[in-house]
Structure formats: C-alpha cells, structure tokens
C-alpha cells in the first residue's frame, strides 16, 4: 500500500499493533455500500469509465456474497477491512480495482463507513427500545390498579400502583430514544469526498454520494469530517444513560424478587439456580444488566480520553474508536432484550404488594392533606399534627387506619370519623388524580396513550 516510500516491511509487533481487522471487519457491509456509491459517482463525473465502475460494482457484490457466505478470508497483514476488500477486488476485476480509491482516502472512507454503521445501530436500538416500552406499557395497563409501596430513601413513602411505577421507565426510555434520534440527525452527514484532510482536486459530486448513502448532506469541512468522532461519542453517551436507566430497573427487580421482599416473581426463563443450594432462584439476568452498565459507561469514558488531546486532523489513536463502542452497543442491545423479556415474564404478588404499601404509615400524607382540606389547617401545622398521630400509632403498634378516633382527637379535637375514608391505601392511590399522578384511571389513560403512540411507530 505504501511500498513506494518504504523499502522493507513492518516488524511483527508493528504489524500486530497497527492491524484493526479484528474489529473493523464488522464494517464490511458499510464499506462495500460506500465504495459502490463512490465508484458510481466517479463514473458519473467522468473520472473513471462506466465499464470500470460496472466491474467494480460487480466485484464488490461478489465480495459481499463471499463474506456473508463465510467464504472470505480476512488477512491481518492487510491491516483493515478497506484493504482486505480492495485486495480481493483486485483479484476479481484486475486494474479497475485500483481506480476505486481515486479522490478518496482511508480517512474519509472509515469515517463514512463508521457513520453508516453507527446510524444502523441507532435504528436497531430504537426498535429495541420501542419493544421495551411496549412491554412496560402493556404490563402497566394490566396492573393500573395494583397497589404497591412507593419509596424514597428505600423507606416507605406513599402508596403507588405497579402500573404507575412501570410507566416511569417508559418515560425514561422515551428520553433515551429522543437522545438517539437527536444524535442520528447530527451524524447524518457524509464525509465521503473529504479525502485525507484537505479535500481533492477531482471534480466530485459529493451530494450524489451523500444522497446514495441516505445522508442529509455532505460535511462542510474536510478537516472536521475526517477527524470528528462526535458521531460515535454522542450515541455512546445516550447508550450510557440508557444503560443507567436499565440498571436502576434491574436493581429493583433484584430487590423485588428476593424472598425477603417477595413483591415480584420471575420464571425459570430469566433465573438460574445454584451449584450447591437447591432452593436458590437467582435473578442473574437482572444482575448482568446491572453490571453491563459499567462496560457501556466505560466505553464512553475510554473514547473521550482517546479524543481529548488529538490535534487536527486524523491520528492513528482514532483506530481505538470502534472496539469499545461496538462492544457497548452490543451490550446495550442484549440488555434491552433481557429487560424486555423480564418485564413480560414478571408476575407481581398483588396481595403482598398491597400489604407492603400499607406498612410504614404510608398514608400519613393523606392524613395531613385531609387536615388541610377539611380543617383548613396550614400544611406545616397539619404536618406537625400528623407526625404526632403517627408517633402515637407507632407506639401502640397499630396502622393509622386502626388507630382509635379518640386517640387522634386527643392530638387534634376537630378530627372526625370521616378521616378514615382517606387512610386506606386504595383510597390513597385513587385520590392522586393530578396529571402524572398514580391514580389508576391516570395510569390506564397513560398506558393506552403510550400503546397507541408506539403502534404508530413513535
């Protein structure tokens, strides 16, 4: 490839550290697609002949079939996917293959290939996130009225519904999809034709190749086009945030399925056993999702560190831009599949959830609200009175709805027996009718809205 300048070949160690084929071979489809577009444009502009362009296109199609049929041998001595494809193309079509690289560098070639690959990956992740949202919304609709404890600081706070809890993750996934969509818009410019860094003297039609490859437009600055990796870092940042969301939910599944808590059960499909303890049912799928968040966030950090000190334009450091992100996106895809499966598989213990929702004086806020609404107390005074009533209930060891009325009246004489109408967990959740609240009718409405929206592909 650069034999005219070099008199001898590289040391074996140099060859080993310089080769990227083990990673960038995954770009073969994008590389062939971009090369076909480039060849067609060169012919259209009269830079190469139509006959050579036809030979190149046929040869590239043959190589694609060979790779997908497992008949292609990638050679590490050829460094990367680009030279492996070009070498085989030369064997197939002869001198015409040498014309393919006219007005093109590996710098703009790899930037184009990788943008195409990241764009394809974003589309696949968006579809997976949509499936995940659908599973959550369907489960939420089924359990719009299933009462469970809502927690803050992992302490009982207020009753909510299981459906409301699940819809919180639908909202998170929607933001994840929005971040990926925004990143996709920004990456959808074609670097092809930027050459090594300065553009080219050939009369290219970069709009033609951009359109052929589904890009919105060609990149406007050749230096930026070949040295930019925002198109990887931004989706990777979105992936890291998404992985954190999945990890939070996975952590809850781990807690919920513990016999100490027992709010949710998973079947054999998403649990494993123990080699020594026959009784064990371990939520390993959830635990692995939780762990993979570290790999995904780590890939983002690693790429940020690669890019942080690089002057313009292309540097060999940027060869490290693929392995981590490819691994991270694969890990996220698998995590989404696992979480979607667990959502569909999980079975809540409604009775245990409801019992847990009533523990810890979860309806204390409802009592305070009643004092404000009925007795016209300032909320701070109602908060103080409620605190005293809760302390009395805790001392006598009874839940709020079983504390005798006369005991409450010793603390606040104006309290009537109407107060018991707000102290049950069912009434508590039904009362939370503010927009975005946990009332079952709200949850049903939101779940149906999401299912309708997802049905339309949004």
């Amino acid at each position: 490839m650069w034999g005219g300048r070099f008199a001898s070949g590289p040391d074996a160690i140099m060859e080993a550290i310089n080769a990227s084929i083990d990673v960038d071979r995954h770009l073969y489809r994008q590389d062939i697609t971009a090369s076909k577009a480039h060849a067609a444009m060169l012919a259209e502009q009269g830079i190469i002949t139509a006959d050579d362009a036809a030979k190149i296109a046929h040869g590239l199609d043959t190589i694609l079939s060979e790779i997908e049929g497992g008949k292609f041998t990638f050679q590490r001595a050829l460094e990367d996917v680009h030279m492996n494809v070009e070498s085989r193309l030369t064997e197939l079509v002869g001198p015409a293959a040498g014309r393919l690289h006219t007005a093109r560098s590996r710098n703009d070639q790899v930037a184009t290939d990788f943008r195409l690959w990241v764009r394809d990956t974003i589309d696949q992740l968006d579809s997976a996130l949509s499936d995940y949202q659908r599973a959550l919304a369907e489960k939420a609709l089924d359990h719009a009225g299933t009462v469970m404890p809502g927690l803050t600081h992992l302490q009982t706070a207020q009753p909510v519904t299981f459906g409301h809890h699940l819809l919180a993750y639908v909202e998170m996934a929607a933001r994840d999809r929005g971040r990926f969509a925004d990143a996709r818009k920004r990456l959808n410019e074609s670097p092809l034709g930027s050459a090594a860094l300065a553009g080219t003297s050939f009369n290219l039609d970069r709009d033609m190749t951009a359109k052929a490859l589904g890009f919105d437009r060609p990149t406007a600055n050749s230096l930026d086009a070949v040295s930019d990796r925002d198109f990887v870092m931004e989706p990777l940042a979105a992936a890291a945030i998404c992985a954190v969301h999945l990890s939070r939910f996975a952590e809850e599944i781990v807690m919920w399925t513990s016999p100490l808590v027992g709010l949710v059960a998973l079947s054999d499909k998403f649990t494993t056993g123990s080699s020594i303890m026959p009784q064990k049912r371990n939520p390993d799928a959830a635990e692995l999702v939780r762990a993979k968040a570290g790999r995904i966030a780590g890939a983002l950090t690693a790429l940020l560190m690669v890019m942080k000190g690089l002057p313009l334009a292309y540097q060999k450091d940027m060869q490290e831009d693929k392995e981590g992100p490819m691994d991270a996106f694969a890990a996220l895809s698998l995590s989404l599949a696992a979480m979607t499966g667990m959502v569909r598989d999980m079975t809540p213990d409604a009775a245990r959830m409801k019992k847990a929702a009533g523990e810890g004086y979860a309806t204390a806020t409802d009592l305070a609200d009643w004092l404000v609404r009925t007795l016209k107390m300032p909320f701070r005074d109602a908060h103080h009175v409620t605190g005293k009533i809760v302390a009395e209930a805790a001392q006598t060891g009874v839940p709020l709805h079983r504390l005798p009325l006369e005991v409450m009246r010793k603390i606040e004489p104006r309290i009537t027996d109407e107060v018991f109408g707000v102290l049950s967990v069912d009434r508590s959740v039904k009362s939370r009718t503010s927009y975005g609240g946990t009332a079952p009718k709200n949850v049903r409405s939101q779940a149906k809205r999401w299912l309708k929206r997802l049905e339309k592909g949004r």
Side-chain angles (χ1 to χ4, degrees):
M1 179 169 44
W2 51 70
R5 174 65 177 87
F6 287 72
S8 63
D11 186 90
I13 295 175
M14 179 62 200
E15 184 176 302
I17 197 171
N18 197 47
S20 61
I21 187 61
D22 294 339
V23 175
D24 65 26
R25 63 192 297 170
H26 298 295
L27 303 178
Y28 73 87
R29 177 178 288 278
Q30 290 78 14
D31 190 69
I32 290 171
T33 299
S35 290
K36 288 175 68 176
H38 185 64
M41 181 274 296
L42 292 177
E44 182 69 22
Q45 294 299 101
I47 298 171
I48 66 174
T49 66
D51 182 58
D52 280 345
K55 290 177 180 177
I56 290 169
H58 178 71
L60 290 171
D61 285 339
T62 300
I63 293 169
L64 180 61
S65 296
E66 289 176 350
I67 294 173
E68 294 187 336
K71 299 176 181 178
F72 188 94
T73 301
F74 288 98
Q75 301 178 53
R76 299 191 81 241
L78 292 174
E79 289 191 15
D80 57 32
V81 65
H82 320 299
M83 296 312 301
N84 269 267
V85 170
E86 185 174 324
S87 176
R88 177 58 177 149
L89 184 63
T90 301
E91 293 174 355
L92 291 170
V93 305
R99 303 189 187 281
L100 174 59
H101 210 54
T102 305
R104 185 178 73 171
S105 163
R106 281 194 298 175
N107 293 354
D108 63 333
Q109 188 178 0
V110 69
T112 302
D113 294 354
F114 201 18
R115 278 182 190 248
L116 290 171
W117 186 91
V118 172
R119 191 178 69 185
D120 291 343
T121 299
I122 287 174
D123 292 344
Q124 293 162 9
L125 289 171
D126 182 73
S127 178
L129 277 162
S130 177
D131 289 344
Y132 173 56
Q133 286 181 295
R134 186 174 293 105
L136 287 165
E138 288 171 351
K139 187 75 73 170
L141 187 59
D142 291 341
H143 293 281
T146 302
V147 180
M148 70 175 291
L151 309 177
T152 61
H153 308 276
L154 275 181
Q155 306 297 310
T156 303
Q158 293 176 298
V160 296
T161 67
F162 188 47
H164 190 59
H165 195 108
L166 295 176
L167 287 179
Y169 287 103
V170 176
E171 296 291 335
M172 292 183 208
R175 295 194 295 275
D176 294 326
R177 292 180 70 188
R179 275 182 281 271
F180 279 120
D182 289 343
R184 192 189 192 283
K185 290 177 185 176
R186 274 183 285 279
L187 74 78
N188 207 35
E189 296 182 347
S190 174
L192 194 57
S194 298
L197 74 161
T200 177
S201 59
F202 287 94
N203 181 31
L204 303 185
D205 185 347
R206 294 189 62 210
D207 288 302
M208 177 181 172
T209 49
K211 183 178 180 181
L213 295 172
F215 289 114
D216 294 330
R217 64 192 69 84
T219 52
N221 184 285
S222 58
L223 279 168
D224 178 56
V226 299
S227 62
D228 164 59
R229 288 301 181 269
D230 291 2
F231 69 86
V232 192
M233 291 188 291
E234 190 174 3
L236 200 51
I241 295 170
C242 180
V244 168
H245 291 157
L246 298 181
S247 181
R248 294 180 70 182
F249 192 15
E251 169 69 7
E252 292 191 315
I253 292 173
V254 170
M255 290 190 298
W256 290 345
T257 56
S258 167
L260 297 174
V261 179
L263 299 185
V264 164
L266 289 172
S267 76
D268 295 353
K269 294 179 181 179
F270 290 95
T271 55
T272 65
S274 164
S275 63
I276 189 173
M277 296 168 284
Q279 83 282 6
K280 292 294 295 297
R281 183 187 291 275
N282 301 322
D284 282 4
E287 291 172 358
L288 287 166
V289 168
R290 188 174 59 184
K292 287 181 187 299
R295 287 172 63 180
I296 297 167
L300 171 61
T301 301
L303 184 54
L304 289 170
M305 292 305 99
V306 167
M307 297 301 299
K308 72 173 182 62
L310 299 188
L312 298 179
Y314 182 82
Q315 316 290 330
K316 194 65 171 180
D317 311 52
M318 292 163 67
Q319 186 167 290
E320 291 294 315
D321 65 351
K322 300 174 194 68
E323 186 172 7
M326 285 181 171
D327 176 78
F329 291 132
L332 181 60
S333 180
L334 183 57
S335 295
L336 280 166
M339 291 302 293
T340 302
M342 282 186 282
V343 169
R344 291 199 168 106
D345 183 71
M346 65 172 59
T347 303
D349 186 331
R352 193 159 183 172
M353 278 187 169
K354 187 173 182 179
K355 182 176 184 296
E359 295 174 351
Y361 306 101
T363 58
T365 306
D366 298 274
L367 172 55
D369 289 346
W370 185 88
L371 294 172
V372 170
R373 189 167 46 249
T374 305
L375 304 185
K376 310 303 179 186
M377 275 189 185
F379 181 78
R380 288 302 172 198
D381 293 344
H383 186 284
H384 184 72
V385 169
T386 300
K388 286 188 172 183
I389 292 174
V390 169
E392 187 66 33
Q395 187 173 357
T396 56
V398 297
L400 278 179
H401 67 279
R402 291 183 180 172
L403 189 67
L405 179 61
E406 58 269 22
V407 175
M408 295 189 196
R409 281 179 168 167
K410 287 181 181 179
I411 298 169
E412 172 47 64
R414 294 178 293 167
I415 294 177
T416 69
D417 59 5
E418 291 180 6
V419 74
F420 292 105
V422 303
L423 297 182
S424 72
V425 292
D426 287 317
R427 288 183 179 269
S428 176
V429 295
K430 286 178 182 178
S431 72
R432 306 293 169 180
T433 56
S434 60
Y435 182 75
T438 191
K441 69 175 185 178
N442 286 17
V443 175
R444 290 188 190 94
S445 175
Q446 290 288 354
K448 289 177 181 178
R449 178 182 69 85
W450 269 113
L451 290 170
K452 185 176 180 179
R453 178 174 169 180
L454 292 167
E455 188 67 28
K456 293 179 179 179
R458 300 201 301 271

